[in-house]
Every structure is written in C-alpha cells, then in structure tokens.
Amino acid sequence: MYFVQINIGGNSNKFIFTLSSDQRPIGDHVPLQLLKRVLKDISVDDNVAEHTFHGFRHTAVSNLSLALLDHPDLVEALTDYDKSDILRIKHGLLGEHIDAQDRWYALSGIMGHLSPERSFEYYNHFATLMATYALSKANITLPERTLYNITGFTNKKLKENNATVSNSSVSISSMRTLLFKKIIEGKRKSPKFTIESCDKQFLLSTNTPATDELFGRYGLNRIQLLLQTYDKNIPLDKAAQLAHIPIQDANILIKRAREVADITTKRGKPRFVKLIDSETTVLSPLNIQYQSDLRLLSLLLSNAYRLREKSGSDWTWFIEICSQKLSNSRAYLPFGKRDEKELQRFIDIAKKLLPLKHWLTSSNEALLMKNMSPTDYQDIKRQSNNSIEAIHIGIASRDPRDQTNKWQYSPLLQFFVHMMLITDESLSIVN
C-alpha cells in the first residue's frame, strides 16, 4: 500500500508498475526477461529458461505446506529450512496460535484461493507425499480376518514375520517387512527404483540397519545427479546441494567414483567410463537407454540388497569378477574353457539377482553344450556363434530399433556394477 501511495498518490489513472522514465505500463515480457537474466547469473545449470514466476508460486505453496505440516524428515529432505525458519513461517502465517486447525485456510488465503482444496489439488506438489508420510506414521490396524481376505496371509505367516497381532487385529506398520517381500518377489512391479536408502535397508531386515553405512543411503538417481553435475565442472559443494547429499558423503562418493574411473583394461583403456578427450574422463556411469532396463533395475537392486545382507562373500566376489571382465565397450563377461568353476559360481549368484530368463549366453555350440546344457539351464537365453572361443554371459536386452529382434547384451550390468562400486564402501576398488 505504501508503494502504491508513493507512486500514484490519489491519481487513479496512473499505472503502478512503470519504468522510472516512462508513464506507460511495463510490458508483460519484461519481468520474465529480467527473471531469466538473474537466474542465468546465479544458476549452476542451463535450465533457467524453464523457470517462471508462476512456477515459484507453486514452489512456495509446496514448501510452505511442508513447514506447516512440520514433519522434520520431509522438511530436511526437500527444503533447506531449519527449525527457526519453520517457526518464523508458522508465526507469519498463523500468528500466535501456530497449532491451530485452520492452518490450511490461512495458506489458501494468502494464495487468493477460496478454499484449501485448490491449493492442494493444483499447487501443493508434495500433497501425496505428505499424506503417505502421515499414513506411514499412523498406527493403522485391520481385523485379522479382513487382512486374510485381502492378502491371504495366515496368522502363522504373520507371526513368522514378526507382525503385531492384538485382539484379532493386525498392525499394518508391523507388516512392512512382509509386504515388501511380496513386492520384490514379483507379485507387484515397480516401474523404477526410487525407494531411498535406510527405508530399503530396514524393510529387508528385521534387524536395526547400520546407519553409519553409506551403501543404500541415497537413491541412485541422486548419486547419478551428483556425478553428472560434477562432470560439468560445477564445484562439489554446489553439485552436492543440487543432489541433496551432504558434502561429507559427496566427498566420499566422488573419491570412489574417481577410483572406479581409474580402473583400466589390459590395454590401458578406462574400463567403466569414457574419455572426453585423451586425458579427461567423466565420473558418471554409462546411461541406461531403454525403459525395459529401467524396470529391470528395480528388481536387480532389491535382490542386490538381499544378497549383500545374506551372503557378503558372494556379493563381493560377484562385483569383483564383474569389475575384472566388464568394460565400457563390452556388456558381458567372458569365461574361457578352463573357467568352468568360475562360470558355475557366477551363474549361481546371478540367478539370485535376476531370474535366469533375464540372462543371455553366447558361444560356439560345442562349448555351450559342454557347460550350459539345455536341461540344467533351460530358462537362460542362448545364442550360438562359432567364432567365439569363450562363453559370454550378461543381461539380455532387445533393441527396439533393431528389426531383426535379436537378443543383445544390456548395458544395465555395467551401470549396476559401476554404481555399486561407488556406493558400497565395503568393496575394494582394485585396478
């Protein structure tokens, strides 16, 4: 109001927003151009053209909603607000009664909405996440008979999996381990691996997870973002901030990524990464190209956590032999005629990570028949090639652009091993 009084006084015919040397209104494009110029000066990436004033309005509603909900885990993960920021926001929106029930009406009021419904439906992009988080904290119970009708879980199965049953009612939160096992056993399919760190570890084990472990602490998307941003010569503190990873952990991840990038083949070429020029390598893994591989990554990672927990020696051996035989130009592992025992052990572990139908072998027919009899390995895919004097094995994939529809080796295995070497500090990185 003070700004309006100074600029137009009592003259209702004057425009509020004008240039100092002009009485005509500012064009619609001017504020947006100025915003883009400011963002370009302060931004660490090249996506500034996608930001608009209205986009900031959506972000403001989403972040203010998190502050009003006051779930520390969500606030810390999705904003940079601290406790004093949250308290200041609450007092600014709600006055002295910061725990009042009309908080959502207060938020919709400053947005100019008649009711909270519009704010939540169109502007609060964390609404589903907030509701899911609240449900995860609630102690919801179902009658044992109702749960059996829905899931088929008997009382014996519930007790075997440490579910809490009291007065013929079952605590849903105590069933997390059992429900998650059903998900990763293929009863339901997730389109992409997005479950973060400690929750994943917790669900796979009834024991208390080791919170000091870096492995599994962050989703692969965030780690990949850190590496890709750092590859663009963005300072590490900025890259870590963009990926929402503390600088201490970012330092460890980048150090291990450099060590993996230094692994070379017998010919001295980088084994996992590609050279930008004759001297410079990137730290990011080779990208996964197809949605079918991304969907398979979910199952692969789920089973990897389980294998690492149940059989650390098999897990270590599998990653080590992959790091010795894979390369950025070869998405399969070659096993020679004298490597029969190694091949057998590899397959025994590989089928714990992915069903055999997702693996592909190729070699000359005689070697395949000797080591990969159709009776014992009827599910594994086979390709005969008489020019190959070793058995090649990797994850099977189909290139949708290839009209012949032949099987090929997926880069998923390279990506997976590369990321595991970076994130699992228990693994030694040896050139």
Side-chain angles (χ1 to χ4, degrees), residues 365-390:
E365 194 61 36
L367 204 53
L368 282 175
M369 288 300 297
K370 178 183 177 183
N371 294 280
M372 306 285 298
S373 67
T375 305
D376 296 331
Y377 300 103
Q378 57 181 345
D379 292 333
I380 201 166
K381 294 176 173 57
R382 303 158 60 96
Q383 285 184 349
S384 180
N385 186 335
N386 289 328
S387 65
I388 301 176
E389 293 299 325

Side-chain angles (χ1 to χ4, degrees), residues 118-224:
R118 182 169 182 81
S119 301
F120 268 91
E121 186 174 359
Y122 296 102
Y123 284 81
N124 184 358
H125 299 282
F126 297 141
T128 302
L129 182 61
M130 290 163 59
T132 304
Y133 187 88
L135 284 171
S136 73
K137 296 295 182 182
N139 185 23
I140 301 173
T141 62
L142 277 179
E144 196 172 350
R145 185 63 192 177
T146 302
L147 186 66
Y148 175 78
N149 291 337
I150 297 172
T151 64
F153 294 155
T154 62
N155 180 271
K156 180 182 178 182
K157 192 171 187 68
L158 293 172
K159 290 183 177 179
E160 286 175 349
N161 287 273
N162 300 317
T164 302
V165 182
S166 177
N167 297 325
S168 298
S169 291
V170 185
S171 169
I172 301 301
S173 60
S174 71
M175 291 177 56
R176 286 175 177 167
T177 302
L178 178 57
L179 292 172
F180 194 72
K181 284 179 180 177
K182 296 295 283 186
I183 291 173
I184 64 177
E185 285 170 2
K187 303 299 181 183
R188 293 172 55 193
K189 293 183 179 178
S190 172
K192 192 171 181 180
F193 177 75
T194 53
I195 298 175
E196 290 288 351
S197 70
C198 55
D199 289 341
K200 183 85 172 180
Q201 284 288 78
F202 172 77
L203 290 168
L204 285 171
S205 172
T206 55
N207 300 322
T208 303
T211 55
D212 59 339
E213 268 201 318
L214 181 60
F215 183 72
R217 190 177 298 169
Y218 308 106
L220 295 193
N221 292 337
R222 285 164 67 183
I223 295 173
Q224 195 169 9

